């Protein structure tokens, strides 16, 4: 687990007598092709290697670069989650307005439920918005957002991430989250940060990256994973085997939601039909194709 926090909060401003001499700035110019981000990064590293005499000689250089990458990843996940939460809030407000109009006309209240399973429908991020926190997910990761009082600094946050347990809270107060995770995670590839001194943002990397979680910690309300909506634009980034697996899962989810056979059930039906055609003299009156 790594912590990406506001480490400069406690830093004191050095006195004028101890301030280092200003370093020489060197301009850097390059073009960026969005389809080839690594090519741009190679130019950046080549520039640093040429102009900085000791950066890559340090043992911590690789860790510093990796930390910067992870911080950017957490920031992007936070922005995506915030945008999805904004859209979900707008849709929720529209739905509430529609229910209010119906109530005024008929005097009968309505409530949106998943009649097929009794489970809650996922939010826009394929997770759930709870009273004290919210979470979203992809097949590979989960992003947890825990609101905290404005002005909260990382030093006041307690965030313990283990392979099957998550504890989040503030020092001297009862934990906000403290429970066994729905499934295992890769604790060494998980990070948290304090965003805008008002939200603890946690990035969890799933151990099984071919499964959707029904809840964050056991005991929380469950979502209907048949209602999740994977980002189809991301499928092109997966290798062929993984993409086929994801597409199969999406197909099976659509089939189940419509009460139709899954890909495995269809395959069994085809095998049974083929066997029946090859043995026309056998009695298959009691056989089931589903």
């Amino acid at each position: 687990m790594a912590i990406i926090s506001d480490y400069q909060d406690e830093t004191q401003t050095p006195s004028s007598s101890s301030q280092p001499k200003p370093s020489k700035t060197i301009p850097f110019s390059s073009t960026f092709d969005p389809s080839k981000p690594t090519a741009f990064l190679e130019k950046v590293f080549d520039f640093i290697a040429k102009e900085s005499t000791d950066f890559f000689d340090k043992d911590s250089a690789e860790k510093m670069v990796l930390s910067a990458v992870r911080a950017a990843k957490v920031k992007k996940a936070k922005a995506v989650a915030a945008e999805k939460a904004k859209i979900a809030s707008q849709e929720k407000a529209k739905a509430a307005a529609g229910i209010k109009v119906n109530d005024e006309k008929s005097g009968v209240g309505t409530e949106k439920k998943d009649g097929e399973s009794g489970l809650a429908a996922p939010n826009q991020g394929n997770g759930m918005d709870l009273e004290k926190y919210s979470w979203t997910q992809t097949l590979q990761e989960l992003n947890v957002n825990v609101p905290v009082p404005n002005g909260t600094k990382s030093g006041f946050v307690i965030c313990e991430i283990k392979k099957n347990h998550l504890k989040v809270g503030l020092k001297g107060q009862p934990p906000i989250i403290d429970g066994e995770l729905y499934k295992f995670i890769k604790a060494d590839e998980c990070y948290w940060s304090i965003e805008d001194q008002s939200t603890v943002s946690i990035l969890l990397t799933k151990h099984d990256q071919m499964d959707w979680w029904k809840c964050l910690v056991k005991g929380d309300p469950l979502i209907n994973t048949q209602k999740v909506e994977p980002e189809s634009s991301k499928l092109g980034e997966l290798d062929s085997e993984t993409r086929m697996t994801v597409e199969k899962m999406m197909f099976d989810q659509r089939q189940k939601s419509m009460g139709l056979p899954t890909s495995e059930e269809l395959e069994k039906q085809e095998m049974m039909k083929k066997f029946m055609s090859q043995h026309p003299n056998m009695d298959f009156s009691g056989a089931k194709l589903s």
Side-chain angles (χ1 to χ4, degrees):
M1 176 187 73
I3 304 172
I4 305 171
S5 62
D6 49 348
Y7 63 89
Q8 293 181 331
D9 286 337
E10 305 299 329
T11 303
Q12 296 181 352
T13 303
S15 62
S16 58
S17 60
S18 62
Q19 287 183 349
K21 295 180 180 180
S23 59
K24 178 183 178 182
T25 59
I26 304 173
F28 170 76
S29 177
S30 179
T31 56
F32 175 66
D33 183 353
S35 65
K36 298 178 181 179
T38 54
F40 177 80
L41 291 176
E42 288 174 359
K43 293 179 181 178
V44 173
F45 293 141
D46 288 342
F47 179 81
I48 295 174
K50 178 182 177 182
E51 302 295 344
S52 178
T53 58
D54 61 348
F55 180 79
F56 287 114
D57 294 334
K58 299 177 182 178
D59 295 336
S60 60
E62 185 175 347
K63 292 182 179 179
M64 292 171 66
V65 172
L66 184 59
S67 177
V69 172
R70 289 169 175 168
K73 187 176 182 180
V74 171
K75 186 175 181 179
K76 180 180 179 181
K78 169 72 175 178
V80 171
E83 181 62 24
K84 290 182 177 179
K86 180 181 178 181
I87 295 175
S89 177
Q90 293 173 345
E91 293 185 352
K92 186 176 181 180
K94 291 179 181 179
I99 291 175
K100 183 177 181 180
V101 171
N102 291 335
D103 291 347
E104 292 175 349
K105 290 182 177 180
S106 62
V108 179
T110 60
E111 183 180 356
K112 183 179 180 181
K113 293 183 179 179
D114 188 340
E116 296 181 0
S117 64
L119 303 178
N123 60 19
Q124 291 294 314
N126 295 324
M128 196 171 200
D129 300 320
L130 300 171
E131 181 181 356
K132 295 183 177 181
Y133 68 93
S134 64
W135 63 277
T136 60
Q137 67 173 321
T138 64
L139 278 173
Q140 294 79 30
E141 301 170 338
L142 298 101
N143 187 268
V144 186
N145 290 311
V146 184
V148 291
N150 288 330
T152 299
K153 298 180 181 180
S154 61
F156 295 100
V157 176
I158 297 175
C159 186
E160 300 176 0
I161 303 175
K162 300 179 180 180
K163 67 177 183 179
N164 63 342
H165 193 275
L166 177 63
K167 181 178 180 180
V168 184
L170 300 177
K171 291 182 179 180
Q173 299 183 22
I176 300 173
I177 303 175
D178 188 8
E180 182 180 355
L181 292 167
Y182 179 70
K183 288 195 174 183
F184 289 123
I185 59 172
K186 298 178 181 179
D188 292 338
E189 299 180 20
C190 299
Y191 316 96
W192 70 270
S193 65
I194 185 78
E195 302 288 342
D196 300 325
Q197 295 187 340
S198 61
T199 303
V200 178
S201 180
I202 309 164
L203 184 69
L204 304 178
T205 302
K206 296 179 180 179
H207 187 274
D208 179 1
Q209 302 191 340
M210 286 287 100
D211 196 12
W212 296 104
W213 286 27
K214 293 185 177 181
C215 63
L216 180 65
V217 294
K218 295 181 179 179
D220 277 357
L222 304 179
I223 65 170
N224 183 356
T225 53
Q226 294 183 20
K227 302 292 184 179
V228 300
E229 298 180 359
E231 297 182 32
S232 56
S233 59
K234 297 294 184 181
L235 292 179
E237 301 177 7
L238 304 175
D239 59 81
S240 58
E241 183 177 354
T242 304
R243 184 169 66 252
M244 290 176 63
T245 302
V246 174
E247 289 175 343
K248 177 180 178 297
M249 292 174 60
M250 294 170 63
F251 174 79
D252 288 344
Q253 288 169 358
R254 288 194 296 268
Q255 291 291 97
K256 288 180 179 179
S257 66
M258 295 185 291
L260 300 174
T262 63
S263 56
E264 183 177 351
E265 292 169 342
L266 289 171
E267 184 177 350
K268 290 180 180 179
Q269 290 179 11
E270 288 298 320
M271 292 176 61
M272 187 62 181
K273 290 178 180 178
K274 183 177 180 180
F275 183 80
M276 292 170 63
S277 64
Q278 294 174 346
H279 301 81
N281 295 327
M282 294 182 65
D283 181 13
F284 295 99
S285 58
K288 293 183 179 180
L289 297 179
S290 60

